[in-house]
């Protein structure tokens, strides 16, 4: 009797192997995603800093450096007795700035230079006191009678020197697309904070050109951004019908928002009383230009710009009402950062699948 051959179903084996491989690959991808999630959580905490800052003290107090306890803001008497000027490091229309020393620590002493601008100086002090947070330079003391303010010293100075700082050998490792994007995220976070501040919606008016914007912010030693100059920070109150105007002179150029420019043409002389007021969306218009400076021309920065193209186009809408909020811009920046870090962490995953 003829034996029936035993058939081996080999045609199924090639299908089983890829199925197992695919399952393993998916497991690896899920594991990598979990690790990436944990990494990004840590990344935002360490680099982006969470909203609550343990270094902050109750209102009217400060601490910095290795000091654990909070101290009251220094009074006029303490400033005169304990603070020693070292040298002048800057002077603007409102105040002169001195590198100084307090209890063997470097600090910054700012003094009014033009008595006609004392209201601007006192407004800046009021804002500095009310807005103390992780976004704002730390206030150490003040003396209203002598028009003096003492703040924390940051040796890397204003953002105007960012590119020069990143070319110093000590900081060259920081000159990457993701570190630069984090600085842009810090900047937009500050704008979001000002637009949703405890005082209401504040507009950053000292921002008529890029150089002026950069001079208002400091670069910290751990590569974060702080707002430093709050002299020109008017309040928008829509419910009360209150909008703002940044100064009393005509503003020109593409950097300022369209609504900040004289709307009646060259044939009509500028008159401040005829200039329409505007709202905080002027800050949104300027975000793409400031971020472009932050991103620079390092490897990967053009890819970041490509991912930010749509949100930046929205920021440049002529109608202010059509521009996104600072929160929407910030959310997009963070999504782009997460996406690009994920792609960098798992190159080729899409092709493997």
């Amino acid at each position: 009797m003829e034996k029936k051959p035993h058939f081996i179903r080999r045609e199924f084996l090639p299908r089983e192997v890829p199925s197992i491989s695919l399952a393993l690959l998916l497991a690896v991808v899920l594991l990598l995603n979990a690790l990436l999630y944990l990494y990004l959580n840590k990344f935002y905490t360490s680099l982006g800093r969470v909203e609550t800052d343990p270094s902050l003290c109750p209102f009217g107090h400060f601490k910095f450096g290795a000091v654990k306890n909070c101290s009251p803001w220094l009074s006029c008497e303490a400033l005169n007795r304990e603070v020693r000027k070292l040298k002048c490091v800057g002077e603007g229309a409102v105040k002169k700035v001195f590198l100084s020393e307090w209890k063997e620590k470097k600090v910054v002493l700012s003094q009014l230079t033009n008595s006609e601008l004392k209201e601007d100086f006192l407004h800046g002090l009021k804002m500095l006191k009310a807005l103390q947070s992780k976004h704002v330079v730390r206030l150490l003391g003040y003396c209203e009678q002598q028009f003096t303010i003492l703040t924390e010293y940051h040796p890397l100075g204003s953002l105007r020197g960012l590119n020069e700082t990143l070319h110093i050998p000590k900081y060259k490792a920081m000159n990457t697309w993701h570190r630069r994007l984090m600085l842009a995220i810090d900047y937009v976070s500050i704008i979001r904070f000002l637009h949703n501040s405890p005082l209401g919606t504040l507009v950053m008016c000292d921002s008529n050109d890029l150089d002026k914007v950069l001079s208002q912010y400091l670069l910290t030693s751990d590569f974060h951004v702080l707002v430093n100059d709050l002299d020109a920070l008017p309040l928008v109150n829509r419910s009360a019908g209150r909008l703002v105007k940044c100064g009393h002179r005509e503003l020109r150029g593409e950097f300022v928002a369209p609504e900040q420019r004289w709307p009646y043409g060259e044939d009509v002389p500028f008159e401040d009383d005829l200039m329409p007021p505007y709202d905080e969306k002027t800050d949104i218009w300027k975000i793409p230009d400031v971020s472009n400076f932050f991103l620079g021309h390092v490897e990967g920065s053009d890819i970041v710009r490509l991912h930010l193209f749509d949100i930046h186009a929205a920021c440049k809408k002529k109608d202010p009402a059509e521009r996104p909020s600072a929160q929407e811009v910030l959310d997009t920046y963070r999504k782009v950062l997460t996406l690009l870090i994920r792609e960098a962490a798992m190159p080729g995953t899409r092709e493997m699948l």
Side-chain angles (χ1 to χ4, degrees), residues 43-54:
F43 189 77
Y44 282 130
T45 301
S46 61
L47 296 184
R49 295 178 295 179
V50 291
E51 290 299 321
T52 55
D53 188 341

Side-chain angles (χ1 to χ4, degrees), residues 303-323:
I303 299 297
V304 179
R305 286 185 179 90
L306 184 63
H307 280 82
L308 295 176
F309 180 85
D310 288 342
I311 192 67
H312 283 173
C315 291
K316 291 293 187 179
K317 294 279 189 181
K318 188 172 182 180
D319 182 356
E322 294 181 5
R323 295 174 205 154

Side-chain angles (χ1 to χ4, degrees), residues 155-170:
L156 296 183
S158 80
L159 288 176
R160 285 189 294 191
L162 174 64
N163 288 324
E164 290 76 10
T165 297
L166 288 171
H167 283 95
I168 297 173
K170 178 181 178 181

Side-chain angles (χ1 to χ4, degrees), residues 91 158-164 187 204 206-218 229 255-256 286 289-290 293:
E91 184 173 1
S158 80
L159 288 176
R160 285 189 294 191
L162 174 64
N163 288 324
E164 290 76 10
Y187 167 71
M204 194 67 178
D206 255 345
S207 56
N208 298 335
D209 58 64
L210 179 61
D211 192 64
K212 186 64 174 175
V213 170
L214 299 176
S215 71
Q216 309 301 302
Y217 297 87
L218 295 172
D229 197 328
F255 188 81
V256 295
K286 298 160 188 172
D289 299 290
V290 180
F293 168 81

Side-chain angles (χ1 to χ4, degrees), residues 49-59 61 63 73 127-139 152 154 189-194 196-198 220 225-228 230:
R49 295 178 295 179
V50 291
E51 290 299 321
T52 55
D53 188 341
S55 66
L56 293 177
C57 293
F59 182 80
H61 295 74
K63 66 177 178 179
W73 286 334
M127 295 294 105
L128 195 55
K129 289 159 62 178
L131 299 176
Q132 284 295 290
S133 67
K134 70 186 182 69
H135 301 292
V136 179
V137 69
R138 192 163 298 154
L139 177 64
E152 191 174 9
H154 293 279
S189 296
I190 292 171
I191 299 299
R192 188 274 312 267
F193 170 70
L194 295 177
N196 301 274
S197 83
T220 68
V225 179
L226 296 174
V227 62
N228 180 52
L230 303 174

Side-chain angles (χ1 to χ4, degrees), residues 197-262:
S197 83
L199 301 177
T201 302
L202 300 167
V203 182
M204 194 67 178
C205 265
D206 255 345
S207 56
N208 298 335
D209 58 64
L210 179 61
D211 192 64
K212 186 64 174 175
V213 170
L214 299 176
S215 71
Q216 309 301 302
Y217 297 87
L218 295 172
L219 180 65
T220 68
S221 297
D222 60 347
F223 272 73
H224 287 290
V225 179
L226 296 174
V227 62
N228 180 52
D229 197 328
L230 303 174
D231 294 345
L233 212 60
L235 179 69
V236 169
N237 188 340
R238 283 193 186 81
S239 60
R242 181 180 174 183
L243 300 178
V244 305
K245 286 192 286 188
C246 292
H248 304 286
R249 293 180 294 179
E250 182 177 1
L251 302 179
R252 295 177 178 268
E254 293 299 314
F255 188 81
V256 295
E259 63 270 23
Q260 292 184 281
R261 302 173 210 153
W262 180 243

Side-chain angles (χ1 to χ4, degrees), residues 17-27 352-353:
V17 172
S19 297
I20 295 171
S21 299
L22 183 60
L24 288 172
L25 179 59
L26 287 172
M352 291 168 66
L353 289 172

